[in-house]
Amino acid sequence: MISGKTKLTGFFAKPASHSLSPLMHNLAFSHWGIDAVYLAFEVDQTNLRQAVESIRTLDMLGVNVSMPNKTAVLAYLDQLSPEAELIGAVNTIVHQEQRLIGYNTDGMGFVRSVNETGHPIKNQKIVVLGAGGAAKAIVVQMALEGAQEITIYKRLNATFLPLKEYFVKVSEKTGCPIRLHDYADESQLALDLSQANLLINATDIGMGSKKDQLPIADVKLLHSQLAVFDLIYSPSETRLIQEAKKMGIKAYNGLGMLIHQGAIAFELWTHREMPVQNIREQLEQEV
Ligand code: NAP
């Protein structure tokens, strides 16, 4: 029940209405009997400053931010967590006594979701396809968690060199060797995959208009020592996951990452654990 004391949390993105976060957080509030509500708000860079200021004005617990605001929002915050600083993007804001603190729970959420499946990150050789916002978040966190080496594949376009420099900095700060290669370099990919423990698809190849496509040209490069993680959760099984499973290879979608990034935000706002298993069952029906 909404009361006079109900606290507000929410989601600032555009588009916002498709998000599963309201369902996830409202279920968790109701599980704990917390008098709070989570709403989705259409926010982009035209109204982001006012929206962020409203966190203080309306005494909100905090918000999640998503596209196109994850980097732009940095300008309006008082403090950043170390991983948000390194990633250069924020997906969660915590309101503490008029101060707004930015966190990035995407990478940590991904790492928790991998650990939940029984696969380690520490001392593992990891190949990441794509180098966008999600890839940066997971690479930083996996480097912080002690991955043995991370190799990233990205198209050779205008953002290649700046990203190469960025990952050199992340490598220096974390001590984890990180290399960026041209996505078109199939022989290098074959070599890296042959030695890898984890393959992560952080491109959007496998969803929307690309749902019938595969992010690697030759599925025979997959092998039994590899676990496959696709950050896509809708469809629940991308072609990559289907092909991996056909070969008897363990393969997981991005629902775990979505739930755990939300669970960490929930912990930051409420200091309570999200009932992850209940929420997974509900979300599986939605995607
Ligand atoms: P993004 O910033 O737009 O990055 C997309 C990446 O995919 C870029 O590196 C892009 O390459 C690459 N890419 C796209 N089409 C390609 C193609 N045909 N060939 C090679 N590379 C291609 O997107 P994002 O926010 O990082 O999201 C990436 C994926 O993760 C999406 O599928 C998204 O749904 C998923 N995601 C899941 C969660 C979760 O909670 N499970 C959270 C965030 C994102 P260029 O750099 O060369 O353009």
Side-chain angles (χ1 to χ4, degrees):
M1 283 288 285
I2 305 286
S3 75
K5 292 180 184 154
T6 303
K7 286 290 194 184
L8 182 61
T9 59
F11 182 63
F12 291 172
K14 193 163 188 172
S17 59
H18 69 289
S19 172
L20 292 171
S21 292
L23 174 62
M24 184 160 52
H25 287 281
N26 288 319
L27 281 170
F29 287 139
S30 123
H31 170 88
W32 284 108
I34 295 172
D35 190 4
V37 65
Y38 185 109
L39 300 177
F41 299 98
E42 294 276 317
V43 175
D44 63 13
Q45 281 159 44
T46 61
N47 55 353
L48 179 62
R49 190 179 62 75
Q50 296 93 320
V52 172
E53 203 42 50
S54 72
I55 300 171
R56 271 190 270 260
T57 311
L58 304 178
D59 196 19
M60 296 172 79
L61 291 179
V63 296
N64 288 131
V65 291
S66 193
M67 301 311 287
N69 305 319
K70 284 183 169 183
T71 302
V73 78
L74 299 185
Y76 309 123
L77 302 178
D78 300 308
Q79 193 182 326
L80 292 179
S81 67
E83 80 290 338
E85 180 109 51
L86 205 49
I87 298 163
V90 156
N91 78 332
T92 300
I93 301 174
V94 177
H95 179 203
Q96 264 177 11
E97 294 161 3
Q98 296 296 304
R99 285 179 62 73
L100 300 180
I101 306 163
Y103 294 82
N104 193 313
T105 69
D106 282 331
M108 284 186 273
F110 176 72
V111 166
R112 272 198 199 179
S113 76
V114 173
N115 291 336
E116 184 182 58
T117 65
H119 296 283
I121 296 289
K122 200 173 167 63
N123 296 329
Q124 300 297 289
K125 292 189 175 183
I126 301 168
V127 172
V128 177
L129 305 174
K136 281 169 78 177
I138 66 169
V139 166
V140 164
Q141 198 61 37
M142 292 190 300
L144 289 169
E145 305 275 336
Q148 185 176 336
E149 66 170 43
I150 303 173
T151 313
I152 306 159
Y153 281 82
K154 189 206 140 22
R155 289 180 292 194
L156 202 52
N157 52 20
T159 52
F160 190 90
L161 278 180
L163 276 167
K164 197 169 176 101
E165 283 166 23
Y166 167 77
F167 285 118
V168 167
K169 260 193 241 148
V170 175
S171 181
E172 284 167 1
K173 290 203 170 141
T174 59
C176 172
I178 303 175
R179 290 177 288 130
L180 185 68
H181 287 300
D182 178 4
Y183 212 129
D185 189 345
E186 289 181 17
S187 55
Q188 183 66 45
L189 177 61
L191 179 66
D192 285 323
L193 274 179
S194 70
Q195 297 167 355
N197 311 103
L198 297 183
L199 168 65
I200 302 161
N201 177 33
T203 73
D204 61 352
I205 304 172
M207 66 182 284
S209 60
K210 301 177 190 169
K211 97 172 157 29
D212 296 323
Q213 297 175 24
L214 277 163
I216 50 171
D218 184 1
V219 285
K220 291 195 197 74
L221 295 177
L222 304 180
H223 55 83
S224 60
Q225 300 308 306
L226 198 63
V228 173
F229 288 84
D230 200 323
L231 301 195
I232 296 170
Y233 53 83
S234 179
S236 60
E237 284 205 347
T238 57
R239 272 204 63 206
L240 176 67
I241 293 183
Q242 288 169 359
E243 295 295 336
K245 284 187 172 173
K246 271 191 221 161
M247 295 168 72
I249 293 166
K250 297 253 192 261
Y252 309 88
N253 70 17
L255 196 61
M257 172 174 172
L258 177 76
I259 294 171
H260 285 288
Q261 63 74 31
I264 298 165
F266 188 81
E267 285 164 26
L268 288 166
W269 296 328
T270 66
H271 309 288
R272 301 278 175 91
E273 276 183 25
M274 189 175 258
V276 164
Q277 199 43 44
N278 276 357
I279 282 170
R280 180 185 293 275
E281 283 160 22
Q282 299 281 334
L283 293 193
E284 273 169 355
Q285 291 169 26
E286 298 292 320
V287 296

